[in-house]
Amino acid sequence: MTRRFRFHIAYAQKLTLLASVPLIVAVAAIALVVAAQSRALAEREINALEAQLIEAKKAELRNYVTQARNGFYFIYGSAAPDDKEAKQRVAQILSAMIYGEEGQFFVYYYDGTAIVSPRETERIGSNFRGERDESGTLVVDRLIQIARDGAGYHTYTWPKPSTGEPAQKIAYVTSFPSWRWAVGTGVFIDDVLATVASSRADVEARVQRTFIYIGVIALIALLIVFATGMGLNLRERRLADAKLKKLTQRVFDAQEEERGRVARELHDGISQILVGVRYALDNARRKLDRGDPEAGAPLAKGIASLGEAITEVRRISRDLRPGILDDLGLGPAVRMLAEEFGARTGIEINYSTAVFRNRLDNDAKIALYRIAQEALTNIERHSGATHVSIDLRGHRHGATLRITDNGCGLPAGESPQGLGLRNMQERMEQLGGRLIMRPADGKGLDIEAVAPLTHMLPPDPASSDTAKSDTGKAAA
């Protein structure tokens, strides 16, 4: 019972695991795909947003420089290359053009000298050729180069005038070629970067929430699978317990039936014989006491009755467990069973077999013998048959016992319900074989029991050598 319980628990765990592992793998794969796709889509959107914001900043810078240039072009356009007064006026205009908290215009000579820097006045008059930011990017040299090429943008890291902290900056610079000036303005894009970083953080938060949602759904699904598995396990256990109780009851019924049969045979057979023996011996004793010369006749009758009792005891013992089955094998045991059946019932019986050489294992021998015994008992009690055919032989698929009678057979459309027939079916199921019951040709019942090849023992080399020797002697 304990072994069966453990088997059911292990089997249920295997079923639960078999159902849970694909679910977990599928949910994990879905979560990874959803996360990857969400991150990729969000990254594209964030990059597009960043590009749009930066382009807006660049357009704003270009507009600032264009407006500033238009504001003093009437001075620059009519001034000579060495007009110091015009240069001073333009520098003053640019110095006054500050905007926002960080916005300013800057002017460098082509040689790198700062001319205008209203928020960083300490730089005015100093040369900054070769200046680099904290990441090693050239600043003034690159601005001058862009200006000499016409106009353009440059991105670098620069300390914010309001805080002194370095931040990323985009500058737009153009050229006043006749004065050899690089004029431009810049804007810090830390707000853009902060917006992008916030968007990325929001994406990660959404992805994490998605993982949590998927995890909760997976957990609920696993709980459902587990609950379903436990429900099925409990149901199977209840069914198994009910079947076990039913089987136990059937075992008890079979035991009681067998005990009743033995008791009836002892009472109806041996008990009556022994009573007759006692009567004969008692009669002989009285005759001996009277000196009657015919006292030997009752003694002879008692001795004969004792012989019958001994024969009956042997028959009952053989029915319970035939010794010939262990000594000579299944073929001779079934032959003896058939001969005794024919002699006892008067039913014509035909028995044929192939030489087994005792190659069936013990379980198969007992099962097939009991099936033959039960089939003959049913034929005697219920069939009304006059002829029975028994065929026992081995083949490439195992061993087959076939019993055919010409009796009334099973009622049409009904399955076998008797305890004996169910016992026959269960014996073959335990062997892993099969039991087939079908109407015989004409009338009667055909019972075929097939034991699988796994219950056939390998040939005994000694038996094979002996058989060859006997065959040689017979040929000689």
Side-chain angles (χ1 to χ4, degrees):
M1 181 69 179
T2 304
R3 222 173 293 165
R4 287 173 60 88
F5 177 75
R6 288 178 180 172
F7 169 77
H8 281 299
I9 290 295
Y11 185 67
Q13 289 175 346
K14 290 178 181 178
L15 285 179
T16 304
L17 184 63
L18 186 63
S20 301
V21 169
L23 176 62
I24 294 173
V25 172
V27 169
I30 291 172
L32 292 175
V33 170
V34 168
Q37 293 294 327
S38 299
R39 285 195 176 98
L41 178 61
E43 190 65 26
R44 287 196 297 270
E45 293 178 352
I46 290 171
N47 291 337
L49 174 63
E50 183 179 10
Q52 290 175 359
L53 293 175
I54 291 176
E55 286 299 322
K57 293 285 187 181
K58 288 181 176 180
E60 184 181 0
L61 292 176
R62 188 169 59 250
N63 290 334
Y64 285 159
V65 173
T66 301
Q67 291 175 4
R69 181 168 184 163
N70 292 336
F72 54 76
Y73 191 76
F74 68 95
I75 301 175
Y76 169 74
S78 59
D82 56 352
D83 189 342
K84 294 181 179 181
E85 182 180 354
K87 291 180 181 180
Q88 186 176 3
R89 289 175 60 190
V90 171
Q92 289 174 351
I93 294 173
L94 290 173
S95 297
M97 296 179 70
I98 58 177
Y99 52 92
E101 295 183 356
E102 312 289 349
Q104 66 172 351
F105 282 85
F106 58 82
V107 180
Y108 291 97
Y109 279 119
Y110 283 176
D111 63 0
T113 302
I115 304 172
V116 176
S117 182
R119 294 187 184 275
E120 298 170 306
T121 56
E122 70 276 4
R123 294 177 62 85
I124 298 174
S126 300
N127 189 287
F128 294 96
R129 293 298 292 245
E131 184 180 34
R132 297 176 182 270
D133 64 6
E134 61 180 14
S135 63
T137 303
L138 287 170
V139 179
V140 176
D141 292 32
R142 182 59 182 156
L143 291 171
I144 294 171
Q145 183 61 45
I146 292 172
R148 297 184 71 169
D149 291 340
Y153 299 95
H154 183 38
T155 303
Y156 52 93
T157 303
W158 196 257
K160 297 183 71 173
S162 60
T163 62
E165 296 294 330
Q168 200 166 9
K169 183 177 182 180
I170 296 178
Y172 178 77
V173 62
T174 187
S175 174
F176 287 6
S178 61
W179 290 358
R180 301 180 61 82
W181 279 12
V183 181
T185 185
V187 63
F188 291 96
I189 59 172
D190 52 343
D191 57 338
V192 174
L193 299 179
T195 301
V196 171
S198 176
S199 299
R200 285 197 172 94
D202 185 56
V203 168
E204 285 298 324
R206 289 201 300 270
V207 169
Q208 290 179 2
R209 284 197 299 271
T210 302
F211 270 111
I212 292 174
Y213 295 152
I214 293 175
V216 170
I217 294 172
L219 180 61
I220 293 173
L222 286 175
L223 290 176
I224 293 174
V225 170
F226 178 75
T228 305
M230 288 299 296
L232 291 175
N233 182 35
L234 292 175
R235 179 176 176 274
E236 291 297 325
R237 283 180 57 190
R238 285 196 297 268
L239 291 176
D241 290 340
K243 290 180 180 179
L244 183 60
K245 289 179 181 178
K246 187 176 180 181
L247 179 61
T248 303
Q249 186 61 43
R250 287 171 60 184
V251 169
F252 289 156
D253 293 342
Q255 289 177 345
E256 290 300 324
E257 182 180 353
E258 185 67 16
R259 288 170 181 169
R261 185 184 68 82
V262 174
R264 286 193 301 271
E265 289 184 350
L266 289 175
H267 179 271
D268 298 340
I270 296 176
S271 178
Q272 291 181 3
I273 292 173
L274 291 179
V275 169
V277 170
R278 182 173 181 270
Y279 176 77
L281 292 178
D282 201 21
N283 188 20
R285 180 180 62 80
R286 287 196 301 269
K287 288 186 176 183
L288 287 174
D289 289 341
R290 293 196 305 267
D292 191 341
E294 296 182 359
L299 284 175
K301 184 177 180 181
I303 291 171
S305 297
L306 281 175
E308 292 178 9
I310 292 171
T311 302
E312 188 69 11
V313 168
R314 287 175 177 172
R315 184 187 67 79
I316 294 174
S317 174
R318 187 168 55 251
D319 288 344
L320 294 175
R321 176 69 180 186
I324 192 173
L325 185 63
D326 298 320
D327 298 335
L328 299 180
L330 180 63
V334 174
R335 179 184 295 277
M336 180 174 290
L337 179 67
E339 291 173 353
E340 290 181 353
F341 173 80
R344 185 178 69 254
T345 62
I347 298 175
E348 181 184 357
I349 189 161
N350 181 26
Y351 175 70
S352 60
T353 183
V355 179
F356 265 90
R357 299 193 182 278
N358 214 14
R359 285 187 54 201
L360 280 174
D361 64 14
N362 195 50
D363 292 339
K365 285 193 298 184
I366 294 174
L368 292 178
Y369 182 83
R370 293 303 182 192
I371 287 173
Q373 194 176 38
E374 190 67 43
L376 292 177
T377 301
N378 288 336
I379 291 172
E380 180 182 359
R381 292 178 181 176
H382 309 296
S383 72
T386 60
H387 181 271
V388 178
S389 174
I390 300 177
D391 182 75
L392 175 66
R393 63 188 60 252
H395 46 79
R396 67 176 62 184
H397 302 297
T400 298
L401 170 67
R402 187 172 183 179
I403 302 174
T404 307
D405 66 78
N406 63 349
C408 61
L410 292 173
E414 293 188 13
S415 59
Q417 299 293 331
L419 181 62
L421 295 177
R422 289 201 301 269
N423 288 338
M424 293 162 63
Q425 289 176 333
E426 290 176 358
R427 285 184 185 275
M428 295 312 300
E429 288 176 0
Q430 291 176 355
L431 286 180
R434 66 181 186 273
L435 182 73
I436 303 171
M437 298 183 188
R438 53 179 174 259
D441 295 336
K443 65 175 184 176
L445 184 65
D446 184 11
I447 299 176
E448 182 177 307
V450 181
L453 188 61
T454 53
H455 292 275
M456 295 288 286
L457 301 176
D460 185 2
S463 299
S464 301
D465 294 342
T466 303
K468 291 179 181 178
S469 176
D470 294 342
T471 304
K473 289 178 181 177

